[in-house]
Amino acid sequence: MNRIEVVRQAVAQQLDDPYDLLAMRLMFPPDRAVVRIDKEISDLYAYPERLQASYRDEWLAIATRAVFRNAFSDHWRSDEENLDDYLRYLRSQAIPKCIHDHIELFRKLGEVLQIDRSDNTIAFPDPGRRALMKIIWPDR
């Protein structure tokens, strides 16, 4: 298994939580963000499916790139030791500090997750999705 596969597996196992992924997105913002992150989080109130449909994959990719770029700086250690140390640092120091510094965004994310996981929440498809569904499965 090469380095990138090891990093992908480690990120998927240890940074899989939406809070961790949002923290990684905040700490390592993409070069060209079309929409500001606070707008993306606010949009989740109306479109909570975006968290699983697109944001999660984007944030996982950001986390994977960040870990791959930063985890292997100590060349005298093995890749496994470097990766374990860096992930430990992220989980114990960097992510908690990021959450503290951006507490309002994380509160909004928590509200969206609570709404999304609620048993009495019904998701209504947006007009574009309804139009597409009518094309795929027209009413007869």
Side-chain angles (χ1 to χ4, degrees):
M1 200 182 279
N2 64 23
R3 261 188 190 175
I4 191 66
E5 291 169 349
V6 170
V7 169
R8 278 190 188 122
Q9 184 178 15
V11 167
Q13 290 174 349
Q14 296 187 37
L15 299 175
D16 191 43
D17 184 74
Y19 296 100
D20 294 340
L21 292 175
L22 176 57
M24 294 297 288
R25 163 60 178 80
L26 290 167
M27 290 186 298
F28 304 99
D31 294 333
R32 290 180 223 121
V34 178
V35 180
R36 291 183 31 205
I37 189 66
D38 55 337
K39 174 77 168 116
E40 286 182 3
I41 299 299
S42 295
D43 286 350
L44 288 174
Y45 285 106
Y47 307 103
E49 70 275 2
R50 287 183 184 173
L51 186 58
Q52 292 300 323
S54 61
Y55 293 169
R56 179 178 188 72
D57 292 337
E58 176 190 346
W59 296 351
L60 272 170
I62 289 169
T64 301
R65 273 192 305 275
V67 170
F68 185 79
R69 286 181 187 155
N70 298 304
F72 303 104
S73 60
D74 294 336
H75 300 291
W76 63 88
R77 291 189 194 159
S78 70
D79 285 352
E80 185 177 288
E81 287 175 316
N82 276 323
L83 185 59
D84 288 344
D85 284 348
Y86 190 66
L87 288 171
R88 193 175 314 111
Y89 161 74
L90 287 173
R91 300 212 31 105
S92 67
Q93 294 179 22
I95 291 174
K97 182 179 180 343
C98 182
I99 291 172
H100 180 268
D101 292 346
H102 300 91
I103 194 68
E104 281 307 311
L105 277 179
F106 286 92
R107 282 189 183 136
K108 287 180 182 180
L109 178 63
E111 289 174 1
V112 168
L113 289 171
Q114 192 173 23
I115 291 167
D116 192 44
R117 293 173 182 159
S118 174
D119 291 337
N120 62 355
T121 301
I122 299 172
F124 293 101
D126 62 67
R129 182 176 292 164
R130 284 195 305 265
L132 181 62
M133 298 306 278
K134 282 189 177 243
I135 291 170
I136 295 172
W137 291 289
D139 296 332
R140 297 197 192 258

